[in-house]
Amino acid sequence: MPGAPDRDSGPRLTPGEEARTLLAATNVATLATLSDDGAPWGSLVAVAALGDGAPVLCLSRLAEHGRNLKRDPRASLVVAEEGRPANPLAAGRVTLAGRARRPDDPDALAAARAVYLAAVPEAAAYVDFADFSLWVLTVERARWVGGYGSMASCSAAEYAASAPDPIVPAAGGAVAHLNADHADALLVIAQELGGRPDATVARCRRIDRHGLDLELDTPEGHGVARVAFATELTAPAELRAASVELARRARAHADAGRDGV
Amino acid sequence: MPGAPDRDSGPRLTPGEEARTLLAATNVATLATLSDDGAPWGSLVAVAALGDGAPVLCLSRLAEHGRNLKRDPRASLVVAEEGRPANPLAAGRVTLAGRARRPDDPDALAAARAVYLAAVPEAAAYVDFADFSLWVLTVERARWVGGYGSMASCSAAEYAASAPDPIVPAAGGAVAHLNADHADALLVIAQELGGRPDATVARCRRIDRHGLDLELDTPEGHGVARVAFATELTAPAELRAASVELARRARAHADAGRDGV
């Protein structure tokens, strides 16, 4: 099994931030509800999120999951990383478990409707149909898995107080660009700043506001490294300069090593 | 909501075949199990399938879903179409509900282990660890949703007796090629053979052994069409000739119409 990233290599997203970031990046999830005999029932759903991260669903009362929630509000929602890796268990995912309720005052209903339509524009065709209802999942527990060996739970309070990372959803292009055009820089970064001088190939797995997750080939097999930015990013526009700074710092480190400094 | 395809426009995959085809095309799914308080718990899992379509999982006894199944074998598994459409609810998906059991004789265990390792090669690193167990889901009910307005259930017997479609998993390249290079042919096919003379743009959504699913732009909005091949395909190698035959037939039909024949 691939080794887990070193958790001491600089700041990382908290489990609550990981969970919020996954939900913010998608509009599809898998809902688990209870059938009339108490058996678990999974179904694909479109999803949005309120400002506190509470997931919003729009379900037909005629559909099995809609009937299930009406009978028993207990539910969990699995949100998986978009553009999943070839190895399914290397993907980030989170289970949000709690209770679903229909918003009970007009303001709450309007807020749920607004975020749902923003995330799922196609729902304009049916959101107001009599047999469809908006549901809000009050998250009581979140269980995040970041891939092999990287997992943590967080409480309802931690989840609600967290915010999505501002960089992850916008960094897909930067990740692809680094991997396509700057494999040499990534390798030096892994070797000099990631504590993996044995790396022979480095690919960028993800970028968040604190730094880069790298996947490595090494003589001993698959490896991972974590490299922190000099300063935390606050906006995607800072990605380019921060990546260039990392590459410069790594090359300076390598030169200093070669010069025996 | 987009209109449902015309179910009378030639043969289609049965719900059991749709379910088996979805499972055969992927190695990732979402599992729903029961937590110790009876609440539904969703989790991402890697998955394989036995010859009768029974899903195979490999779960840690330390993980929540592994503990859940040991306590209560009731489970369901959601398998969604790979490469999902932009509109999440337009994706094909199936819920396979039943009971999970650990294979109880050496031959059954070996069969489960073999299909699992073939589908999830990374599992070689942990499949034989003492804390991991192989589980087989006996499917008691399958609920397939093919997108808006297209859904059906099938029994355990229908599911087990069905086979994955031989064309769908291999047709991704053909679908992309038709959409990229033969939009003109697709439009004539939709207009002349799909019963949609009002179509202004046609995209291929999927190809199965019986024919093409098309998505249309029309003056009235989004539409769909179904066009059957002259004869059912038995192997992906027949895709090209069958597509060419459709295009020829559509153009001949158009020419005949223009000539007043």
Side-chain angles (χ1 to χ4, degrees):
Chain A
M1 204 170 330
D6 177 3
R7 300 293 299 189
D8 298 328
S9 50
R12 290 177 162 274
L13 303 192
T14 65
E17 289 174 335
E18 292 281 5
R20 295 290 302 272
T21 301
L22 283 167
L23 182 56
T26 191
N27 66 355
V28 65
T30 304
L31 178 69
T33 55
L34 294 174
S35 295
D36 54 5
D37 60 357
W41 181 254
S43 56
L44 197 79
V45 291
V47 66
L50 290 170
D52 65 354
V56 178
L57 312 174
C58 180
L59 307 179
S60 167
R61 290 174 219 176
L62 308 176
E64 190 147 350
H65 48 206
R67 299 197 313 267
N68 287 351
L69 280 188
K70 197 168 174 193
R71 192 188 313 111
D72 190 320
R74 291 180 293 175
S76 66
L77 198 65
V78 178
V79 177
E81 188 178 354
E82 292 276 322
R84 73 177 184 88
N87 176 353
L89 297 186
R93 65 270 193 185
V94 66
T95 301
L96 306 172
R99 273 157 214 275
R101 59 188 167 74
R102 295 179 55 185
D104 49 9
D105 73 79
D107 287 352
L109 187 63
R113 187 178 184 280
V115 297
Y116 195 80
L117 286 175
V120 190
E122 303 82 4
Y126 57 86
V127 67
D128 296 320
F129 282 6
D131 58 322
F132 278 82
S133 301
L134 287 160
W135 293 87
V136 174
L137 181 70
T138 301
V139 175
E140 297 168 359
R141 181 165 66 107
R143 175 75 179 167
W144 166 73
V145 181
Y148 288 108
S150 185
M151 56 188 73
S153 294
C154 80
S155 69
E158 284 167 49
Y159 178 79
S162 300
D165 183 81
I167 304 300
V168 170
V175 169
H177 172 62
L178 286 172
N179 287 329
D181 299 334
H182 297 289
D184 52 342
L186 288 173
L187 181 58
V188 179
I189 289 170
Q191 291 169 331
E192 300 292 331
L193 307 180
R196 292 304 298 258
D198 59 330
T200 54
V201 174
R203 290 169 298 278
C204 186
R205 162 87 172 83
R206 193 181 78 166
I207 306 178
D208 58 58
R209 70 187 192 278
H210 298 301
L212 275 60
D213 285 318
L214 302 175
E215 294 185 320
L216 314 176
D217 293 346
T218 80
E220 281 75 46
H222 182 82
V224 296
R226 172 74 182 177
V227 179
F229 290 130
T231 53
E232 180 181 325
L233 310 192
T234 59
E238 300 160 17
L239 261 171
R240 190 169 186 289
S243 304
V244 168
E245 190 278 333
L246 273 187
R248 282 201 188 127
R249 183 149 43 101
R251 292 211 164 96
H253 194 270
D255 291 344
R258 266 196 299 278
D259 297 345
V261 176
Chain B
M1 205 170 329
D6 177 1
R7 300 294 297 189
D8 297 328
S9 50
R12 289 177 163 272
L13 303 192
T14 65
E17 288 175 334
E18 292 281 6
R20 295 289 303 271
T21 301
L22 283 167
L23 181 57
T26 191
N27 66 355
V28 63
T30 303
L31 178 69
T33 55
L34 294 174
S35 295
D36 53 5
D37 61 356
W41 182 254
S43 57
L44 197 78
V45 290
V47 66
L50 290 171
D52 65 354
V56 178
L57 312 174
C58 179
L59 307 179
S60 167
R61 291 175 219 175
L62 307 175
E64 190 147 350
H65 47 207
R67 300 198 310 270
N68 287 351
L69 280 189
K70 198 169 173 192
R71 192 188 313 111
D72 191 319
R74 290 179 293 175
S76 66
L77 197 65
V78 179
V79 176
E81 188 178 353
E82 292 277 321
R84 71 178 186 87
N87 176 355
L89 297 187
R93 65 269 193 186
V94 66
T95 300
L96 306 173
R99 276 158 213 272
R101 59 186 167 76
R102 295 177 55 184
D104 49 10
D105 73 81
D107 287 353
L109 188 62
R113 188 178 183 280
V115 297
Y116 194 80
L117 287 175
V120 190
E122 303 83 4
Y126 57 84
V127 66
D128 296 320
F129 283 6
D131 60 320
F132 278 81
S133 302
L134 287 161
W135 293 86
V136 174
L137 181 71
T138 301
V139 175
E140 297 169 359
R141 181 165 66 106
R143 175 73 178 166
W144 165 73
V145 181
Y148 289 107
S150 185
M151 57 189 73
S153 295
C154 80
S155 69
E158 283 168 47
Y159 178 78
S162 300
D165 183 80
I167 304 301
V168 170
V175 169
H177 171 65
L178 285 172
N179 287 329
D181 300 333
H182 298 289
D184 51 342
L186 288 173
L187 182 58
V188 179
I189 288 170
Q191 292 169 331
E192 301 292 331
L193 307 180
R196 292 304 297 260
D198 58 332
T200 55
V201 175
R203 290 169 299 278
C204 186
R205 163 87 170 83
R206 192 179 80 164
I207 307 178
D208 58 58
R209 70 187 191 279
H210 298 301
L212 274 62
D213 284 319
L214 302 175
E215 295 185 320
L216 313 176
D217 293 346
T218 80
E220 282 75 43
H222 182 82
V224 294
R226 172 75 182 177
V227 179
F229 290 128
T231 52
E232 181 182 326
L233 310 193
T234 58
E238 301 160 16
L239 261 171
R240 188 168 188 289
S243 303
V244 169
E245 190 279 333
L246 274 187
R248 281 202 189 126
R249 183 150 44 103
R251 292 211 163 96
H253 193 269
D255 290 345
R258 266 197 298 278
D259 297 343
V261 177

